[in-house]
Amino acid sequence: MAAEQDPEARAAARPLLTDLYQATMALGYWRAGRAREQAEFELFFRGCPFGGAFALAAGLRDCVRFLRAFRLRDADVQFLASVLPPDTDPAFFEHLRALDCSDVTVRALPEGSLAFPSVPLLQVSGPLLVVQLLETPLLCLVSYASLIATNAARLRLIAGPEKRLLEMGLRRAQGPDGGLTASTYSYLGGFDGSSNVLAGQLRGVPLAGTLAHSFVTSFSGTEVPPDPMLAPAASPGPRVDLTTRVEAWLDRVCAHLGLGVQEPHRGERAAFVAYALAFPQAFQGLLDTYSVQRSGLPNFLAVALALGELGYRAVGIRLDSGDLLQQAQEIRGVFRTVSARFQMPWLESISIAVSNNIDEKELARLAQEGSEVNVIGIGTNVVTCPRQPSLGCVYKLVSVGGQPRMKLTEDPEKQTLPGSKAAFRLLGPEGSLLLDVLQLAEEPPPQAGQELRVWPHGAREACTVRPAGVEPLLRLWVQQGQLCEPLPSLAESRAFAQLSLSRLSPEHKRLERPALYQVALSDKLRALVDRLGAGGSS
């Protein structure tokens, strides 16, 4: 099966990005004559992350790419031969060379779906040896992507719909692959863009960026721009020396603010002029390299007003230290007075962006009513998920040769649900979410308006529900190695994630002490669990 010929395919995981025991089990299956037995695995998680009541499913596109590109090359097989016992039958390695995913079928939640404990994110069926080898790579591709998307969704819920959220965590991410995944799936989860250029190139994530303190401190103020001349934005008028115009405006700004013209840092002003000459249509200022009120703000205003005189409009400013909320309010007040004083009405509403290790608590503060912050950049606290670094997804065998399989274990929480299953979301009036139900694949699906007896997962008593609507959750994406329908774009999955979240009740969306969303089992599935759990034969 050939890989898709697009730049994003280069980011696909390689077959040996796996655990050694997958290879040792493969040899065991092959030696036992079971390599081609039909088997089914489910990939799911046992508890919602971050103390919340929901997760967002993500990583499906990466999984499909991985499956379509899956092939062990000669170098891969030779390496496996070097780590497996030296007396391994050479025929096993010939079997590995012929492997692909042309007999693999995948059902999955669409990316951006609400996901809940025990409901499969992926169902993977095919030859036992192959689908066993897929375990670790698929877990790697789904777990972190879903965790990041969920973390981003929480941050978006805190920020509300109006604030612009930017992911800026590449330098703090767990390696280049973690950085690319975080940038991709924070966008799916509700962020507006990323600073990660590779995510823009490979995944189409919108990019954003300004300048760093190093750019500002690199200027002393003695530098002479090779060409300080700038033409008006919309007219054929004469070019103007921007440096000269900025100095003239600085006098007026300082007089308005009650500052001496020597107080604003010369090097900072030179840096702003250089940036404005490079980006006259998109000038932004980083104000806190020296002093916000006595240097960064007056220097920015001098450059912004000089540009405004030529018909350009500055985009905004960024703050990266101090009390971000208070400074934003103070700066907005200055923008309003300067706008009125110098008849530049656009100035009072330009964007104020903030960054500086922003977590959920600080984000809530920045998003409160009356905040003058427009753009919030978050790095470490979105890409590293410090509140919970792993979603804890698992990949468990549920059937072999059409017969259910179940893990009992000493820990009841790690018990698995046997058999090939279907999953449905039961809806109340007007589309409200009631609960998700898991049932055996051969059972008829629930019907709207018909009473259904179900067993909430972990409960000792059944309950009845009469859904107003029923939605199947798992869609067929890959059948016998062939893609069944086009995968949604990242932007489409992002929009679907926001739609999914909008359907969740406020009680389930609460980030602290939320109401738990119910997942239930059908009568037949519960009976199978009880029979196998009691030691009955499968």
Side-chain angles (χ1 to χ4, degrees):
M1 182 168 33
E4 292 176 279
Q5 298 301 309
D6 63 58
E8 194 177 339
R10 292 177 295 172
R14 296 167 59 176
L16 292 195
L17 185 69
T18 191
D19 295 304
L20 179 60
Y21 80 169
Q22 308 294 0
T24 60
M25 285 190 287
L27 175 57
Y29 289 139
W30 182 84
R31 186 70 177 79
R34 305 188 63 205
R36 292 185 171 87
E37 282 189 50
Q38 286 297 298
E40 183 171 334
F41 285 80
E42 290 180 348
L43 192 157
F44 60 95
F45 58 90
R46 295 188 173 105
C48 291
F50 314 117
F54 71 89
L56 287 182
L60 177 62
R61 287 173 61 85
D62 295 335
C63 289
V64 170
R65 276 194 163 79
F66 172 72
L67 295 174
R68 301 190 75 190
F70 183 91
R71 196 70 189 246
L72 288 164
R73 301 183 181 185
D74 285 342
D76 299 328
V77 176
Q78 289 167 12
F79 180 77
L80 289 175
S82 75
V83 297
L84 290 174
D87 60 350
T88 300
D89 189 334
F92 171 67
F93 298 112
E94 292 308 308
H95 183 82
L96 293 183
R97 283 187 172 88
L99 288 182
D100 60 19
C101 290
S102 57
D103 292 322
V104 172
T105 293
V106 176
R107 291 177 173 82
L109 296 177
E111 288 207 275
S113 296
L114 289 169
F116 301 102
S118 300
V119 177
L121 303 178
L122 268 70
Q123 292 175 325
V124 184
S125 58
L128 178 57
L129 186 151
V130 173
V131 292
Q132 181 72 71
L133 285 175
L134 298 177
E135 175 181 6
T136 302
L138 294 183
L139 283 169
C140 184
L141 292 170
V142 170
S143 296
Y144 184 55
S146 299
L147 186 73
I148 285 287
T150 306
N151 194 29
R154 287 174 60 90
L155 293 167
R156 170 53 72 192
L157 288 172
I158 295 169
E162 302 303 322
K163 304 296 184 189
R164 192 159 178 251
L165 293 180
L166 300 178
E167 178 273 315
M168 321 168 42
L170 179 58
R171 64 189 62 196
R172 306 292 167 81
Q174 286 92 339
D177 292 332
L180 180 60
T181 300
S183 299
T184 303
Y185 293 104
S186 61
Y187 177 63
L188 184 148
F191 274 51
D192 295 287
S194 170
S195 65
N196 186 343
V197 177
L198 188 62
Q201 181 192 30
L202 294 182
R203 304 295 179 86
V205 177
L207 297 179
T210 55
L211 66 158
H213 293 291
S214 56
F215 184 85
V216 177
T217 57
S218 74
F219 288 83
S220 67
T222 61
E223 298 82 7
V224 178
D227 181 9
M229 308 302 287
L230 187 63
S235 67
R239 299 172 75 220
V240 172
D241 185 326
L242 185 62
T243 303
T244 301
R245 294 307 306 152
V246 167
E247 293 300 323
W249 273 106
L250 183 67
D251 286 342
R252 302 172 70 184
V253 167
C254 286
H256 176 74
L257 298 179
L259 298 172
V261 292
Q262 300 303 316
E263 292 187 66
H265 197 284
R266 290 177 59 203
E268 181 180 57
R269 190 160 62 256
F272 288 176
V273 169
Y275 199 82
L277 287 168
F279 301 98
Q281 301 279 7
F283 171 61
Q284 301 179 65
L286 176 60
L287 301 195
D288 65 324
T289 304
Y290 301 110
S291 165
V292 172
Q293 293 291 342
R294 308 190 75 80
S295 182
L297 184 55
N299 277 331
F300 169 79
L301 288 169
V303 177
L305 292 167
L307 289 172
E309 197 175 34
L310 294 172
Y312 300 98
R313 293 187 178 182
V315 171
I317 60 101
R318 179 163 74 94
L319 300 167
D320 192 48
S321 60
D323 187 326
L324 301 173
L325 179 66
Q326 180 180 338
Q327 289 183 95
Q329 291 170 335
E330 292 170 351
I331 289 168
R332 182 69 71 197
V334 172
F335 284 167
R336 291 190 178 109
T337 64
V338 171
S339 170
R341 170 68 179 81
F342 299 113
Q343 299 299 299
M344 298 273 189
W346 52 268
L347 181 61
E348 66 176 299
S349 59
I350 65 171
S351 176
I352 297 177
V354 298
S355 56
N356 188 24
N357 201 32
I358 294 168
D359 58 13
E360 289 188 358
K361 182 178 179 181
E362 177 65 5
L363 179 60
R365 184 169 173 266
L366 295 170
Q368 66 184 273
E369 186 176 353
S371 168
E372 295 291 351
V373 172
N374 307 107
V375 181
I376 302 167
I378 306 179
T380 304
N381 286 295
V382 63
V383 305
T384 67
C385 301
R387 288 193 57 174
Q388 182 176 326
S390 173
L391 181 54
C393 286
V394 293
Y395 182 90
K396 297 301 180 183
L397 182 69
V398 296
S399 73
V400 178
Q403 297 301 309
R405 293 292 186 267
M406 179 179 179
K407 176 183 175 183
L408 293 177
T409 188
E410 299 296 325
D411 184 348
E413 290 186 359
K414 300 184 80 171
Q415 178 176 296
T416 61
L417 298 174
S420 181
K421 293 182 281 296
F424 298 91
R425 186 153 290 160
L426 306 187
L427 308 177
E430 300 179 359
S432 60
L433 276 56
L434 295 180
L435 56 84
D436 287 4
V437 62
L438 296 170
Q439 62 178 52
L440 295 173
E442 67 262 23
E443 295 184 67
Q447 299 297 314
Q450 292 186 6
E451 192 171 87
L452 181 70
R453 193 170 88 135
V454 297
W455 295 78
H457 197 29
R460 295 186 178 183
E461 300 291 336
C463 65
T464 57
V465 62
R466 189 187 299 273
V470 178
E471 291 180 355
L473 292 177
L474 298 164
R475 287 167 60 175
L476 181 65
W477 295 99
V478 176
Q479 186 168 34
Q480 298 290 299
Q482 298 299 312
L483 190 63
C484 297
E485 61 176 296
L487 290 164
S489 69
L490 181 61
E492 289 170 334
S493 295
R494 179 181 184 272
F496 180 63
Q498 295 307 302
L499 175 63
S500 299
L501 287 166
S502 73
R503 301 177 64 197
L504 196 61
S505 72
E507 292 77 15
H508 294 124
K509 278 194 285 195
R510 282 201 309 262
L511 303 184
E512 301 294 337
R513 297 182 293 279
L516 296 181
Y517 183 85
Q518 282 194 339
V519 176
L521 312 185
S522 69
D523 261 340
K524 288 189 70 173
L525 178 54
R526 174 60 184 255
L528 179 62
V529 169
D530 289 344
R531 178 164 63 87
L532 295 182
S537 66
S538 59

